[in-house]
Amino acid sequence: MLESPGSPAPDGATEPRASLLVARGELASVAARIWMGGSHTAIGEPIDAEDLAGAWFIDCAGDMPSHFRPRAGRWFSCVFPDLDASPTRLFRIEQIVGEVAIALQSEHARPSPTELFIVCQHGMNRSGLVAGMLLRALGMNGDDAIDRITASRPGALSNHAFRRLLLDGR
Protein backbone atom coordinates (compact mmCIF):
# COMPACT_ATOMS: atom_id res chain seq x y z
CA MET A 1 0.00 0.00 0.00
CA LEU A 2 1.11 3.56 -0.66
CA GLU A 3 2.25 5.67 2.24
CA SER A 4 0.17 8.83 1.85
CA PRO A 5 -3.58 9.28 1.40
CA GLY A 6 -4.67 10.32 -2.05
CA SER A 7 -1.15 10.54 -3.41
CA PRO A 8 -0.99 11.39 -7.12
CA ALA A 9 -0.39 8.65 -9.66
CA PRO A 10 2.25 9.16 -12.37
CA ASP A 11 -0.43 10.65 -14.67
CA GLY A 12 -1.61 13.11 -11.96
CA ALA A 13 -4.79 11.19 -11.04
CA THR A 14 -5.47 9.99 -7.50
CA GLU A 15 -4.44 6.39 -6.84
CA PRO A 16 -7.27 3.92 -6.15
CA ARG A 17 -8.10 3.12 -2.54
CA ALA A 18 -9.83 0.23 -0.78
CA SER A 19 -11.15 -0.76 2.64
CA LEU A 20 -10.61 -4.20 4.15
CA LEU A 21 -13.85 -6.21 4.37
CA VAL A 22 -12.52 -9.63 5.35
CA ALA A 23 -9.19 -10.44 6.98
CA ARG A 24 -7.31 -13.66 6.19
CA GLY A 25 -8.93 -16.63 7.92
CA GLU A 26 -11.92 -14.61 9.14
CA LEU A 27 -14.33 -16.64 6.99
CA ALA A 28 -14.03 -20.42 7.01
CA SER A 29 -11.48 -21.67 4.51
CA VAL A 30 -10.84 -18.24 2.92
CA ALA A 31 -7.15 -17.37 3.05
CA ALA A 32 -7.29 -14.17 0.97
CA ARG A 33 -8.04 -10.70 2.27
CA ILE A 34 -11.09 -9.16 0.59
CA TRP A 35 -11.08 -5.42 -0.13
CA MET A 36 -13.74 -3.06 -1.48
CA GLY A 37 -12.86 0.28 -3.03
CA GLY A 38 -12.83 2.63 -5.94
CA SER A 39 -10.61 4.12 -8.58
CA HIS A 40 -11.58 7.70 -7.57
CA THR A 41 -12.16 7.73 -3.82
CA ALA A 42 -10.58 9.23 -0.73
CA ILE A 43 -11.84 6.39 1.50
CA GLY A 44 -9.59 3.49 2.46
CA GLU A 45 -5.98 2.56 2.00
CA PRO A 46 -4.16 3.36 -1.24
CA ILE A 47 -3.68 0.37 -3.56
CA ASP A 48 -0.12 0.05 -4.83
CA ALA A 49 0.11 -1.42 -8.34
CA GLU A 50 3.58 -2.75 -7.52
CA ASP A 51 2.17 -5.15 -4.89
CA LEU A 52 -0.46 -6.91 -7.02
CA ALA A 53 1.29 -10.06 -8.24
CA GLY A 54 -0.97 -12.43 -6.27
CA ALA A 55 -4.04 -10.19 -6.19
CA TRP A 56 -7.26 -10.63 -8.12
CA PHE A 57 -9.40 -7.67 -9.22
CA ILE A 58 -13.08 -7.41 -10.01
CA ASP A 59 -13.46 -4.10 -11.86
CA CYS A 60 -17.09 -2.94 -11.77
CA ALA A 61 -16.68 0.45 -13.49
CA GLY A 62 -13.78 0.10 -15.93
CA ASP A 63 -12.03 3.10 -14.35
CA MET A 64 -8.93 1.49 -12.86
CA PRO A 65 -5.68 2.99 -14.15
CA SER A 66 -4.29 0.93 -17.01
CA HIS A 67 -1.01 0.10 -15.21
CA PHE A 68 -2.93 -2.03 -12.65
CA ARG A 69 -4.29 -4.64 -15.04
CA PRO A 70 -1.03 -6.30 -16.18
CA ARG A 71 0.28 -6.42 -12.61
CA ALA A 72 -2.74 -8.24 -11.14
CA GLY A 73 -2.69 -12.01 -10.82
CA ARG A 74 -6.17 -12.12 -12.41
CA TRP A 75 -8.53 -9.46 -13.71
CA PHE A 76 -12.31 -9.72 -14.02
CA SER A 77 -14.12 -7.05 -16.00
CA CYS A 78 -17.63 -6.74 -14.58
CA VAL A 79 -18.74 -3.28 -15.71
CA PHE A 80 -22.35 -2.24 -15.09
CA PRO A 81 -24.13 1.06 -14.33
CA ASP A 82 -25.02 2.26 -10.85
CA LEU A 83 -28.76 2.58 -11.46
CA ASP A 84 -31.44 2.00 -8.84
CA ALA A 85 -32.54 -1.18 -10.62
CA SER A 86 -31.33 -4.73 -10.98
CA PRO A 87 -28.32 -4.79 -13.34
CA THR A 88 -29.27 -6.04 -16.80
CA ARG A 89 -26.25 -8.35 -16.81
CA LEU A 90 -26.85 -9.76 -13.33
CA PHE A 91 -26.13 -13.27 -14.67
CA ARG A 92 -22.56 -12.14 -15.55
CA ILE A 93 -22.03 -10.76 -12.05
CA GLU A 94 -23.32 -14.03 -10.58
CA GLN A 95 -20.91 -16.03 -12.81
CA ILE A 96 -17.90 -14.02 -11.68
CA VAL A 97 -18.93 -14.12 -8.02
CA GLY A 98 -19.45 -17.90 -8.25
CA GLU A 99 -16.07 -18.48 -9.87
CA VAL A 100 -14.26 -16.30 -7.34
CA ALA A 101 -16.10 -17.86 -4.36
CA ILE A 102 -15.10 -21.36 -5.48
CA ALA A 103 -11.46 -20.29 -5.89
CA LEU A 104 -11.42 -18.59 -2.49
CA GLN A 105 -12.81 -21.66 -0.73
CA SER A 106 -10.86 -24.34 -2.54
CA GLU A 107 -7.55 -25.31 -1.04
CA HIS A 108 -6.75 -26.96 -4.38
CA ALA A 109 -7.42 -23.90 -6.57
CA ARG A 110 -4.15 -22.70 -8.04
CA PRO A 111 -3.40 -20.00 -8.36
CA SER A 112 -5.70 -18.66 -5.70
CA PRO A 113 -5.61 -14.98 -4.77
CA THR A 114 -3.74 -13.59 -1.80
CA GLU A 115 -5.79 -10.38 -2.02
CA LEU A 116 -9.12 -9.77 -3.74
CA PHE A 117 -10.06 -6.21 -4.69
CA ILE A 118 -13.61 -5.39 -5.74
CA VAL A 119 -13.56 -1.86 -7.16
CA CYS A 120 -15.84 0.57 -8.95
CA GLN A 121 -15.55 4.31 -9.42
CA HIS A 122 -16.10 5.52 -5.84
CA GLY A 123 -16.19 2.21 -3.98
CA MET A 124 -19.80 2.48 -2.87
CA ASN A 125 -22.63 0.84 -4.84
CA ARG A 126 -21.37 -1.35 -7.67
CA SER A 127 -18.46 -2.71 -5.67
CA GLY A 128 -20.85 -2.99 -2.70
CA LEU A 129 -23.27 -5.15 -4.67
CA VAL A 130 -20.53 -7.48 -5.93
CA ALA A 131 -18.82 -7.63 -2.52
CA GLY A 132 -22.17 -8.39 -0.87
CA MET A 133 -22.94 -11.12 -3.39
CA LEU A 134 -19.51 -12.64 -2.74
CA LEU A 135 -19.96 -12.49 1.04
CA ARG A 136 -23.31 -14.26 0.62
CA ALA A 137 -21.69 -16.90 -1.61
CA LEU A 138 -19.13 -17.42 1.16
CA GLY A 139 -21.90 -18.12 3.69
CA MET A 140 -22.85 -14.73 5.14
CA ASN A 141 -26.52 -13.68 5.23
CA GLY A 142 -27.67 -10.51 3.46
CA ASP A 143 -28.08 -8.38 6.60
CA ASP A 144 -24.61 -9.29 7.86
CA ALA A 145 -23.05 -8.66 4.43
CA ILE A 146 -24.65 -5.19 4.25
CA ASP A 147 -23.56 -4.41 7.82
CA ARG A 148 -19.98 -5.47 7.05
CA ILE A 149 -19.86 -3.35 3.90
CA THR A 150 -21.38 -0.22 5.44
CA ALA A 151 -19.10 -0.49 8.50
CA SER A 152 -16.03 -0.60 6.24
CA ARG A 153 -17.28 1.98 3.74
CA PRO A 154 -19.72 4.44 5.41
CA GLY A 155 -22.33 5.58 2.90
CA ALA A 156 -21.95 2.45 0.76
CA LEU A 157 -24.94 0.62 -0.67
CA SER A 158 -27.18 3.67 -0.88
CA ASN A 159 -28.63 2.05 -4.02
CA HIS A 160 -31.90 0.51 -2.76
CA ALA A 161 -32.19 -1.99 -5.63
CA PHE A 162 -28.71 -3.35 -4.87
CA ARG A 163 -29.59 -3.68 -1.17
CA ARG A 164 -32.78 -5.56 -2.07
CA LEU A 165 -30.81 -7.97 -4.24
CA LEU A 166 -28.53 -8.74 -1.31
CA LEU A 167 -31.40 -9.16 1.13
CA ASP A 168 -33.39 -11.31 -1.31
CA GLY A 169 -30.50 -13.72 -1.73
CA ARG A 170 -29.14 -12.83 -5.18
Side-chain angles (χ1 to χ4, degrees), residues 36-37 60-63 78-89 93 119-130 155-163 165:
M36 180 181 144
C60 303
D63 284 349
C78 185
V79 178
F80 60 98
D82 180 5
L83 301 174
D84 200 6
S86 182
T88 56
R89 293 181 35 103
I93 299 168
V119 296
C120 60
Q121 187 174 25
H122 298 290
M124 295 301 204
N125 286 316
R126 289 174 281 195
S127 59
L129 173 62
V130 174
L157 286 173
S158 61
N159 183 313
H160 297 291
F162 291 2
R163 273 183 179 253
L165 286 170

Side-chain angles (χ1 to χ4, degrees), residues 8-38:
D11 62 1
T14 302
E15 286 284 46
R17 300 174 74 86
S19 303
L20 185 63
L21 289 180
V22 177
R24 283 188 183 96
E26 190 174 348
L27 293 176
S29 73
V30 176
R33 293 191 302 179
I34 302 172
W35 299 81
M36 180 181 144

Side-chain angles (χ1 to χ4, degrees), residues 75-161:
W75 195 274
F76 298 87
S77 182
C78 185
V79 178
F80 60 98
D82 180 5
L83 301 174
D84 200 6
S86 182
T88 56
R89 293 181 35 103
L90 187 58
F91 69 93
R92 175 68 179 137
I93 299 168
E94 291 169 332
Q95 286 176 328
I96 290 171
V97 165
E99 182 178 342
V100 170
I102 288 168
L104 288 173
Q105 291 179 310
S106 174
E107 53 193 62
H108 303 295
R110 295 291 176 249
S112 59
T114 56
E115 310 280 340
L116 173 67
F117 293 91
I118 304 167
V119 296
C120 60
Q121 187 174 25
H122 298 290
M124 295 301 204
N125 286 316
R126 289 174 281 195
S127 59
L129 173 62
V130 174
M133 290 173 68
L134 179 64
L135 293 175
R136 287 191 54 98
L138 295 173
M140 199 175 281
N141 70 46
D143 286 322
D144 290 344
I146 290 170
D147 288 347
R148 171 78 56 117
I149 289 165
T150 57
S152 293
R153 307 246 343 142
L157 286 173
S158 61
N159 183 313
H160 297 291

